[in-house]
């Protein structure tokens, strides 16, 4: 039985080894295939980019010369040279000019053809193979230019034997044609210097320009006999056989990758390449590039196979390690199960304890919430009590301020009765108007008193600063005048407004002015001033006095509730004032010294309310 078990384990190990070997072979093959596809995709992107650069360079070279025939056709001397019996000096001058232009522009040759097809002037007039006197009436570019005004053709030169691109333009009154020949030797040399396989074909697939000189005038596809006969009659490519290019599709990839070809003939070793092509704008030509793929693909395939083998080997080794660990894990499962039961019992006990602690915590939270709500309620009640207590500080000044208009009203009423009895109705009407104004004055003072005493409205709206200051001065002005205290106020623009609750902000200003009046009471030259500073988005109101100042030891406590330096004070005025200012988004602070104290209230600036009254404050 033991022998059978050992044999079974050996058989299993053999199967695992064979499966691992098969997995390595499959992974190597798949890794090579994937790497090959990635390499080809990368080569295609690179080849497409290079193709665009080649097309742009060739197009730029052609555009450099494309406007030259048009400019020459408008030259009056060239138009005269095709006239019957032109002057020899004119012909010589035109020949010289054409030679200079050809040298400056890089054109191979420039020549002028008469209406009969015979060349009358050329840039190579002094050369051995001059075009002067040659008959080019058979050339398609000449026929196209005479018929349509412009013509072009790529052909082999009948005199020079050099291929080139001919651009023709008809002269005025169809007197002839001016022709510019472009040769691409420089571009071909650049391609060869860069070791690039590039060629250009026309619409028939015939190679016109190529980095390999032997490919010129070969064809991508077969040319039928009728087309060959027409080409020979037009002397486009001389006696070129127009044989097929040595490009062949790779076996087995014709359908999936038609752009992969094999390059080479009987005399040269064949090499695989990626062929890409693109149209050349403005022509019916196409530019083709051949990118070798053997070295790049083989390198990537080798790397892909190595990576696949390593990854598969590591995975297989990890799998073997995992299988070995499974046996050890099984031995520990029973022990882990026992420990888990014990742990679950401890967790259940701990859960009960945490649940009880959580219930206690929730109860404490609820208690704190109730205490916080009670604290807020008491704070609001305390603030209201402070406001009501503060009424006593200026009740005397309000009574005095009201008694004055009441006395005046009594006087005006008595005078009115006398004036009416005497028939002086107009004077009596003026007294009645004065009584109305004094009554409005008393109403204003009582409204200030009610606004000071009522609870916070919670509003935060634009309020004219001039209205706040004016209402505050109506409350404390009489006290300042009675005490002989100078109360200086600035002239405020009617459009200046701040954000907040108007009556409550007025309460703050009244409180600051009352404190300032208290501070200067008994001073030799008491003075209180109210200043305003306007910045971008903020308005600062400062109440300054020339009192003895606040000692450093208590300066940090002046805004604390129930802290006061007055024997009859409650210590709530400044605390409530700071709360009102901060509710409106502002700040309230102070600066103090031997020369006096300055309380500074900063508020958010706002647009003026529509009912803001115009006017300014006077200095008392």
């Amino acid at each position: 039985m033991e022998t059978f078990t050992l044999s079974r384990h050996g058989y299993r190990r053999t199967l695992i080894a064979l499966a691992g070997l098969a997995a390595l072979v499959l992974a190597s093959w798949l890794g090579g295939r994937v790497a090959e596809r990635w390499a080809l995709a990368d080569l295609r992107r690179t080849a497409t980019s290079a193709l665009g650069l080649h097309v742009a360079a060739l197009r730029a070279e052609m555009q450099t010369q494309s406007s030259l025939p048009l400019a020459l056709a408008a030259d009056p001397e060239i138009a005269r040279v095709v006239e019957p019996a032109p002057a020899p000096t004119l012909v010589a001058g035109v020949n010289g000019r054409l030679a200079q232009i050809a040298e400056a522009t890089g054109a191979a040759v420039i020549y002028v053809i008469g209406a009969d097809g015979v060349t009358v002037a050329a840039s190579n007039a002094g050369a051995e193979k001059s075009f002067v006197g040659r008959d080019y009436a058979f050339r398609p570019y000449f026929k196209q230019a005479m018929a349509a005004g412009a013509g072009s053709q790529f052909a082999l030169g009948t005199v020079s034997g050099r291929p080139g691109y001919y651009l023709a333009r008809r002269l005025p009154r169809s007197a002839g044609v001016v022709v510019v020949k472009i040769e691409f030797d420089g571009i071909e040399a650049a391609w060869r210097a860069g070791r690039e396989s590039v060629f250009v074909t026309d619409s028939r697939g015939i190679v016109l320009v190529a980095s390999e000189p032997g490919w010129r005038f070969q064809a991508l596809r077969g040319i039928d006999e009728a087309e060959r006969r027409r080409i020979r009659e037009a002397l486009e490519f001389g006696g070129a056989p127009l044989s097929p290019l040595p490009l062949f599709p790779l076996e087995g990839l014709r359908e999936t990758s038609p752009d992969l070809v094999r390059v080479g003939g009987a005399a040269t070793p064949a090499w695989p390449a990626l062929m890409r092509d693109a149209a050349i704008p403005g022509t019916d030509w196409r530019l083709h590039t051949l990118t070798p793929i053997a070295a790049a693909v083989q390198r990537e395939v080798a790397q892909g196979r190595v990576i696949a083998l390593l990854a598969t080997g590591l995975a297989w080794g990890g799998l073997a390690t995992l299988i070995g660990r499974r046996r050890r894990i099984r031995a520990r499962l029973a022990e882990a199960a026992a420990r888990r039961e014990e742990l679950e019992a401890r967790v259940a006990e701990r859960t009960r304890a945490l649940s009880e602690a959580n219930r206690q915590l929730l109860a404490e939270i609820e208690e704190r919430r109730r205490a916080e709500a009670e604290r807020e309620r008491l704070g609001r009640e305390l603030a209201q009590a402070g406001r009501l207590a503060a009424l006593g500080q200026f009740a005397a000044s309000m009574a005095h301020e009201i008694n004055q208009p009441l006395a005046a009203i009594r006087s005006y009423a008595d005078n009115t009765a006398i004036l009416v009895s005497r028939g002086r109705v107009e004077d009596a009407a003026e007294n009645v108007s004065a009584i109305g104004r004094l009554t409005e004055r008393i109403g204003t003072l009582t409204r200030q008193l009610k606004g000071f005493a009522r609870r916070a409205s919670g509003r935060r709206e634009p309020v004219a600063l001039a209205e706040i200051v004016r209402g505050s001065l109506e409350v404390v002005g009489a006290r300042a005048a009675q005490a002989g205290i100078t109360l200086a106020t600035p002239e405020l623009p009617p459009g200046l407004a701040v954000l907040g609750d108007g009556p409550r902000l007025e309460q703050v200003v009244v409180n600051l002015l009352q404190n300032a009046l208290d501070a200067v009471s008994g001073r030799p030259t008491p003075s209180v001033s109210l200043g305003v500073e306007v910045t971008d988005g903020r308005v600062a109101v400062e109440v300054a006095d020339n009192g003895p100042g606040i000692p450093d030891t208590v300066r940090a406590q002046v805004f604390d509730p129930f802290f006061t330096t007055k024997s009859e004070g409650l210590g709530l005025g400044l605390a409530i004032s700071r709360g009102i200012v901060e509710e409106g988004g502002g700040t309230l602070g102070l600066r103090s010294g031997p020369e006096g104290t300055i309380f500074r209230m900063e508020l958010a600036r706002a647009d003026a309310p529509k009912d803001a009254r115009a006017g300014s404050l006077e200095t008392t």
Side-chain angles (χ1 to χ4, degrees):
M1 184 67 180
E2 184 178 356
T3 303
F4 175 75
T5 303
L6 293 176
S7 299
R8 185 175 61 183
H9 286 316
Y11 178 71
R12 183 180 299 173
R13 285 195 295 268
T14 301
L15 286 180
I16 293 175
L18 291 175
L21 182 61
L24 290 174
V25 173
L26 180 61
S28 175
W29 181 80
L30 289 176
R33 292 288 295 176
V34 171
E36 180 181 6
R37 292 185 180 181
W38 287 355
L40 289 176
D42 187 58
L43 286 174
R44 285 189 176 94
R45 288 192 295 269
T46 305
T48 301
S49 300
L51 180 66
L53 294 177
H54 288 311
V55 169
L58 184 61
R59 177 62 178 160
E61 180 68 18
M62 297 174 66
Q63 285 182 335
T64 302
Q65 307 292 345
S66 60
S67 59
L68 186 56
L70 179 62
L72 294 175
D75 194 310
E77 290 188 355
I78 293 177
R80 290 201 307 272
V81 82
V82 295
E83 294 178 354
T89 56
L90 176 62
V91 175
V94 170
N95 290 336
R97 283 187 57 206
L98 294 180
Q100 293 175 354
I101 294 173
E103 182 179 359
T105 59
V109 62
I110 305 173
Y111 51 102
V112 182
I113 305 175
D116 56 356
V118 178
T119 303
V120 297
S123 61
N124 62 357
E128 180 181 354
K129 293 183 179 181
S130 173
F131 286 9
V132 176
R134 305 286 182 174
D135 188 354
Y136 293 106
F138 66 93
R139 284 295 198 185
Y141 65 78
F142 176 78
K143 297 177 182 179
Q144 293 172 6
M146 290 299 292
S152 62
Q153 179 188 7
F154 189 96
L156 190 68
T158 57
V159 176
S160 63
R162 297 175 58 82
Y165 188 50
Y166 297 87
L167 298 172
R169 195 76 184 184
R170 185 176 61 195
L171 295 175
R173 299 184 302 279
S174 299
V177 173
V178 61
V179 184
V180 176
K181 180 182 179 183
I182 306 173
E183 295 181 357
F184 300 98
D185 293 347
I187 291 181
E188 291 178 336
W191 290 344
R192 286 192 293 272
R195 295 185 178 181
E196 297 176 294
S197 298
V198 186
F199 60 94
V200 179
T201 60
D202 62 8
S203 59
R204 299 164 296 187
I206 299 174
V207 178
L208 306 178
V209 184
S211 58
E212 296 291 336
W215 289 0
R216 192 181 295 139
F217 303 143
Q218 292 188 358
L220 274 176
R221 51 185 178 272
I223 307 296
D224 57 33
E225 188 57 36
E227 183 65 20
R228 287 175 180 270
R229 185 168 55 254
R230 194 195 65 76
I231 292 172
R232 285 195 297 271
E233 290 175 356
L235 299 178
E236 287 188 58
F237 308 121
L242 303 179
S243 56
L245 277 171
L247 302 177
F248 311 96
L250 289 179
E251 296 297 333
L253 299 176
R254 185 190 300 268
E255 298 296 333
T256 59
S257 300
D259 55 353
L260 298 180
V261 298
R262 180 169 52 86
V263 183
T268 57
W271 48 278
L274 174 68
M275 186 169 72
R276 310 292 286 177
D277 65 278
I280 300 176
T283 68
D284 57 357
W285 298 358
R286 298 191 71 82
L287 188 141
H288 306 259
T289 59
L290 294 172
T291 305
I293 64 173
V297 171
Q298 289 174 1
R299 182 176 63 254
E300 294 296 330
V301 168
Q303 292 178 357
R305 288 176 177 173
V306 170
I307 294 173
L309 287 173
L310 291 175
T312 306
L314 291 174
W316 200 257
L319 181 61
T321 303
L322 181 62
I323 293 174
R325 290 182 60 187
R326 286 181 59 188
R327 290 194 298 268
R328 294 189 295 272
I329 292 173
R330 289 173 183 172
R332 292 194 294 265
L333 286 178
E335 183 181 357
R339 292 180 179 177
R340 184 171 60 252
E341 291 179 358
E342 182 182 359
L343 180 61
E344 287 176 354
R346 292 181 180 178
V347 169
E349 182 181 357
R350 184 61 176 168
T351 301
R352 287 193 297 272
L354 290 175
S355 299
E356 181 64 25
N358 188 41
R359 285 193 293 271
Q360 294 178 1
L361 181 61
L362 291 176
E364 291 181 4
I365 292 174
E366 183 62 26
E367 182 65 25
R368 286 179 179 271
R369 187 179 295 115
R370 289 195 297 269
E372 182 67 20
E374 181 67 14
R375 187 190 65 81
E376 292 181 358
R377 186 186 66 79
L378 291 176
R380 290 193 297 270
E381 294 295 334
L382 183 61
Q384 179 65 12
R387 284 192 294 271
L388 294 176
L391 288 173
Q393 298 183 9
F394 58 90
S397 62
M398 289 290 294
H400 177 76
E401 191 69 19
I402 292 175
N403 285 334
Q404 287 182 350
L406 284 176
I409 289 174
R410 177 60 183 268
S411 176
Y412 278 122
D414 294 341
N415 291 336
T416 301
I418 295 173
L419 292 173
V420 169
S421 63
R422 295 178 179 179
R424 296 171 61 184
V425 178
E426 294 181 356
D427 294 337
E430 291 181 0
N431 285 352
V432 171
S433 298
I435 292 172
R437 288 194 298 272
L438 291 172
T439 304
E440 178 63 24
R441 169 70 173 171
I442 294 173
T444 301
L445 293 175
T446 56
R447 283 195 299 273
Q448 296 294 331
L449 182 61
K450 289 189 292 182
F452 189 87
R454 68 170 177 253
R455 293 179 181 269
S457 66
R459 294 177 299 176
R460 191 167 182 261
E461 57 188 4
V463 183
L465 185 59
E467 294 294 331
I468 296 174
V469 175
R470 181 182 290 108
S472 303
L473 294 178
E474 289 177 351
V475 175
V476 301
R479 176 188 172 186
Q482 185 177 9
I485 299 173
T486 302
L487 182 58
T489 58
E491 182 176 351
L492 297 177
L496 182 60
V498 296
L499 285 177
D501 187 341
R504 302 189 73 200
L505 292 178
E506 191 173 306
Q507 173 187 346
V508 173
V509 178
V510 168
N511 184 269
L512 296 179
L513 290 173
Q514 292 279 17
N515 288 344
L517 293 176
D518 292 341
V520 300
S521 178
R523 303 290 288 182
T525 56
S527 174
V528 175
S529 65
L530 190 147
V532 176
E533 179 182 340
V534 181
T535 59
D536 292 340
R538 307 289 288 181
V539 177
V541 179
E542 292 187 345
V543 177
D545 62 68
N546 62 348
I550 301 175
D552 295 341
T553 56
V554 300
R555 190 176 302 167
Q557 300 175 281
V558 296
F559 290 105
D560 295 341
F562 304 108
F563 177 82
T564 180
T565 58
K566 304 174 185 178
S567 58
E568 70 282 2
L570 294 178
L572 294 174
L574 289 177
I576 295 173
S577 297
R578 171 173 275 188
I580 293 173
V581 173
E582 291 179 350
E583 285 179 5
T587 60
L588 179 61
L590 69 89
R591 302 192 306 273
S592 184
E595 296 80 9
T597 302
I598 299 176
F599 281 88
R600 181 181 178 90
M601 175 177 64
E602 290 191 5
L603 301 170
R605 186 175 179 179
D607 294 334
K610 295 182 179 179
D611 58 348
R613 293 179 294 173
S616 60
L617 300 176
E618 296 180 357
T619 302
T620 301

